Amino acid sequence: MAQMYFYKFNINAEIYNVYKDETLQEKILNQVFEKLDSDMTYEYGFEEDEQDKMIEYKFCDLLKSSEDLAITGRLVKIYDGEVESYDRKNDTVTQVYEEDRAASATFYFDILNEEIAFITRQGFGYLQFGTYFVKLLEQKFPEGSFALILEKNIGELKSKLYAMNRVLKVTCAMIPPNANEAEFTTLLGASVDEFKETGATKYVQSMEIPAKGKNSIKVKTRFFNRLLYALGKGYADMVVEGRNKNNEKITLNSDEDAPYKLPIPESEKDSISAFREHGKCNLSILLKDKALIQMQDNGEVNGDKEE
């Protein structure tokens, strides 16, 4: 079975205007549906062996459904490079230079629910997918209009966090939630109005203690539960540095170590029509799991699911 990953699609630059005018969110999402097409391209250049190389990213094989405001298709990476093959006659390996090599990621974009389901493949990982999906959209929208946050398995993340022997440093990046303005208060508490006054659309906070000694940052606290809630809802990323039981340095990255994923048959992962159906089904599971994540009166986070 292949693995399907998920990104929470967030309106970013206009989020405070969305809080003021609820109709604006629907307007922006409809614009995304209309403007996302196969004409969008993004080129990335880099130097290698003193020769300029270019990598092109674009959408292709798009299937749009206006009934449920959803798009199925592929995000493809196009590049020139060498391919190795085995020469049985001469018992050796040969290299052949090929133009327009490709690596693609099939996706299902549920615009109404602001979620993207997708697969990865060798040479095109899930972090690359998120980066270039946004860069393609920015060909027709202002830079910073949207932010993609990889969906986390909050149960798996908590398990790995609590297993750390000592927590020495925590860095968390959080964006204003698209759900509603009240959700923002849940995330930031009393400081939400002061933060909104700044006009910033990303809140980065960090905390640490000296590595010497035996002290550890306490993670089973109300403060951390707010962070975990934000991660579980698709509004934040977190990196934790600490030590294991052997006093060895370890790092817990929420994107790399606890992505939310669900299976999809290998035989159907590249079929646009089949991927659409699996994407709809798996997104319904994700949304149900996210709905169970709640901040309780005592500050605890419940409803998390561990695979």
Side-chain angles (χ1 to χ4, degrees), residues 26-27 37 51 60 96 106 144 146 149 163 175 178 191 193 200 251 275 286 301:
E26 182 179 353
K27 180 180 178 181
D37 59 37
Q51 293 183 356
C60 68
V96 179
T106 312
F146 309 107
I149 303 294
I175 63 171
N178 278 204
S191 62
D193 289 333
T251 300
F275 195 91
L286 167 66
V301 178

Side-chain angles (χ1 to χ4, degrees), residues 214-226:
K214 296 182 179 181
N215 290 337
S216 174
I217 295 174
K218 297 178 181 179
V219 295
K220 293 184 178 181
T221 58
R222 287 174 176 261
F223 183 86
F224 257 90
N225 284 333
R226 286 186 185 274

Side-chain angles (χ1 to χ4, degrees), residues 259-277:
Y260 186 104
K261 52 185 186 282
L262 292 170
I264 177 174
E266 286 280 352
S267 60
E268 298 183 342
K269 69 178 184 180
D270 292 317
S271 165
I272 297 298
S273 58
F275 195 91
R276 170 181 164 81
E277 295 308 311

